[in-house]
Amino acid sequence: MEMVEVHGLRLAYRRAGHGPTVMFVHGGVEDSRAWTPQLDALSDEFTVIAWDEPGAGGSQDVPDEFGLSDYADCLAGMVRAVVGSPTSLVGISWGTTVILEAYRRHPAVVRSMVLADGYAGWRGSLGAEEADARLAAVRAALAEPDEAFDPTLPGLFAGEPPAPFARLMEAMAADVRRHSMLTALTAMAQADLTEVLPTVQVATQLIWGALDARSPLSVAHEFERRIAGANLAVIPDCGHVSNLEAPGPFNELVRGFLHHHG
């Protein structure tokens, strides 16, 4: 792990490889370890960087009243501090929401983007009723005593998670900080970035699991319709965490995209 200070917060990140830079932005209730198969596979051609967002992994806790714009500002600040030039951003789930907000606020740091199994915020992609229901479920989980607390969100995989990555998910879940989880998922529930989608002017690859139960294909098609020139690739028999459930196809899609737009 390496560290950098951005906007007064110490943020951790993993870096491997050589070549054009690509930065990975993990989902909610995860940290940079979620990108292990991507860092391992793509570091042969690219400098791969995966951050621990504020409040996750080795990064400093989120301050009170931290919001989506703050996550986005920290991501843009890390690009400037660690890369020093516009870079390709790859995000999954909540990470796509952070990337879209970073693009809205700091378009100059984004060279291209890969958005996987994502949302324009829960409110923007799923509607107010579903967003509020999901946030209520999060709050209920957070109210559980320590021995019953399980931060894992439902419906992540289409089937049984691959054994190595099941252990990885358990390890990340064990390190979840309740305040950070509530902060990030509250921001996710409140966000509606649908109006950002038509403003995107960089090359964009969409990757979705065909059986994604958390961000269904209808969301993918909405992204495809609203983002000019976006290309949608659907991975068969795959759920929400497509980078872990189908790392081979996922990695090849990202590699092919970066060959042209990295």
Side-chain angles (χ1 to χ4, degrees):
M1 299 296 292
E2 300 181 51
M3 302 292 293
V4 64
E5 184 165 318
V6 177
H7 297 300
L9 295 176
R10 286 184 56 77
L11 302 181
Y13 62 98
R14 300 170 191 271
R15 173 162 42 188
H18 301 280
T21 300
V22 54
M23 184 171 289
F24 291 87
V25 186
H26 59 78
V29 203
E30 292 184 341
D31 58 47
S32 59
R33 288 174 287 180
W35 295 111
T36 298
Q38 283 67 56
L39 271 61
D40 288 347
L42 298 173
S43 58
D44 62 338
E45 286 192 86
F46 303 97
T47 300
V48 286
I49 298 171
W51 84 334
D52 287 344
E53 73 177 12
S59 289
Q60 190 173 338
D61 286 341
V62 288
D64 291 337
E65 300 182 6
F66 205 73
L68 177 58
S69 62
D70 299 300
Y71 288 101
D73 290 350
C74 284
L75 178 60
M78 180 174 279
V79 172
R80 294 187 180 107
V82 176
V83 183
S85 60
T87 193
S88 301
L89 296 174
V90 180
I92 194 162
S93 189
W94 152 246
T96 69
T97 304
V98 176
I99 288 174
L100 288 170
E101 178 71 357
Y103 182 82
R104 185 180 73 84
R105 295 173 63 83
H106 308 278
V109 306
V110 183
R111 177 179 174 84
S112 61
M113 60 176 78
V114 177
L115 307 177
D117 300 285
Y119 312 92
W122 281 348
R123 192 162 298 265
S125 290
L126 306 175
E129 183 176 351
E130 176 66 14
D132 291 345
R134 289 191 179 194
L135 184 58
V138 169
R139 292 183 181 276
L142 290 168
E144 294 285 351
D146 287 347
E147 61 272 14
F149 176 55
D150 181 4
T152 306
L153 299 174
L156 294 179
F157 294 94
E160 289 298 316
F165 301 131
R167 292 191 291 272
L168 179 63
M169 297 292 285
E170 289 171 2
M172 289 189 291
D175 292 336
V176 165
R177 301 169 225 172
R178 294 189 190 219
H179 175 60
S180 297
M181 178 178 175
L182 180 60
T183 299
L185 295 182
T186 298
M188 175 72 121
Q190 294 173 343
D192 181 352
L193 301 181
T194 51
E195 296 309 310
V196 177
L197 302 179
T199 72
V200 173
Q201 298 181 29
V202 297
T204 303
Q205 173 70 55
L206 308 173
I207 303 175
W208 244 259
L211 303 179
D212 190 338
R214 293 196 60 82
S215 179
L217 280 179
S218 58
V219 178
H221 291 305
E222 185 70 5
F223 273 48
E224 183 183 29
R225 184 179 72 81
R226 286 178 169 261
I227 300 176
N231 179 62
L232 171 62
V234 178
I235 301 177
D237 303 317
C238 183
H240 186 61
V241 191
S242 57
N243 71 304
L244 294 180
E245 193 164 5
F250 187 98
N251 293 344
E252 287 312 302
L253 286 166
V254 173
R255 186 187 299 275
F257 175 79
L258 293 175
H259 282 163
H260 292 97
H261 305 290

